[in-house]
Amino acid sequence: MRLKNKSVICLVDSEFEDLELWYPVIRLREEGAAVHLAGPEANKEYIGKYGVPAKTDLSYEQLSAEDYDGILVPGGWAPDKIRRYNHVLELIRQMDQQQKPIGQICHAGWVLISAGILQGRKVTSTPGIRDDMTNAGAIWVDEAVVVDGHVVSSRRPPDLAPYAKAFCDRLAQG
């Protein structure tokens, strides 16, 4: 239970990639972290790409960087929706400035691009948004998981085990 005093927010919207949301959330909870789901609306059920539901605890507007030790952004088609919320982008920027762990997998890189925090950072993502990542100033590599400071990135569902472990390890560091 090395993460028993840690609190993490996981961003949700319709058509999130089911495994990319739930695998890291379950892994964090197994290690003792409190994980809250946040979406455009609180107490609303959002459905993943493959039909798995996720009910939000909070709305994006209720989030404050000071209340959390880290943040997860799952992939799927949800990131294209999530990145349209200014409050989310500001939250990502604040967590970046505070050097709190930021986890992103697959298409979630779009949210970090829109927040403007990738310049000069070594990251990975689904190869489908490689050009987007490099055009945002990132140094893109094709690896299962990349940790650059407090930013933890991964490519796709087959990489979930090393991604979730790397995020938990980074969160445990402080």
Side-chain angles (χ1 to χ4, degrees):
M1 302 302 278
R2 66 181 172 148
L3 302 178
K4 68 180 179 180
N5 296 319
K6 301 293 183 177
S7 185
V8 176
I9 194 68
C10 182
L11 302 177
V12 179
D13 206 328
S14 298
E15 299 183 275
F16 60 86
E17 208 301 332
D18 307 55
L19 287 172
E20 293 172 359
L21 182 140
W22 285 113
Y23 187 102
V25 166
I26 291 167
R27 178 83 158 82
L28 284 160
R29 288 177 176 165
E30 286 175 341
E31 293 220 28
V35 183
H36 300 122
L37 304 182
E41 296 178 47
N43 300 309
K44 180 178 176 182
E45 190 172 85
Y46 293 86
I47 305 298
K49 285 173 49 179
Y50 304 106
V52 178
K55 186 174 181 184
T56 55
D57 303 297
L58 304 161
S59 73
Y60 297 149
E61 295 297 321
Q62 293 175 284
L63 300 177
S64 171
E66 288 71 36
D67 295 337
Y68 293 94
D69 300 300
I71 189 166
L72 288 171
V73 187
W77 304 126
D80 190 38
K81 298 173 180 109
I82 294 169
R83 68 181 176 166
R84 300 173 195 196
Y85 291 89
N86 289 329
H87 190 80
V88 169
L89 300 180
E90 185 55 34
L91 177 72
I92 295 282
R93 287 183 203 108
Q94 289 173 6
M95 295 190 96
D96 180 51
Q97 290 167 356
Q98 296 169 23
Q99 297 188 12
K100 293 182 178 182
I102 299 171
Q104 68 93 20
I105 184 168
C106 200
H107 287 83
W110 280 336
V111 178
L112 280 61
I113 288 168
S114 293
I117 67 163
L118 291 181
Q119 184 66 43
R121 288 218 163 103
K122 183 179 174 186
V123 295
T124 195
S125 67
T126 179
I129 67 165
R130 175 186 180 164
D131 291 347
D132 301 327
M133 301 289 273
T134 57
N135 288 336
I139 302 159
W140 191 90
V141 295
D142 188 11
E143 295 177 13
V145 64
V146 175
V147 179
D148 186 338
H150 58 280
V151 176
V152 181
S153 59
S154 192
R155 297 177 299 196
R156 55 182 81 92
D159 303 324
L160 279 164
Y163 168 63
K165 181 183 182 314
F167 186 84
C168 288
D169 289 348
R170 182 59 187 87
L171 190 63
Q173 291 175 3

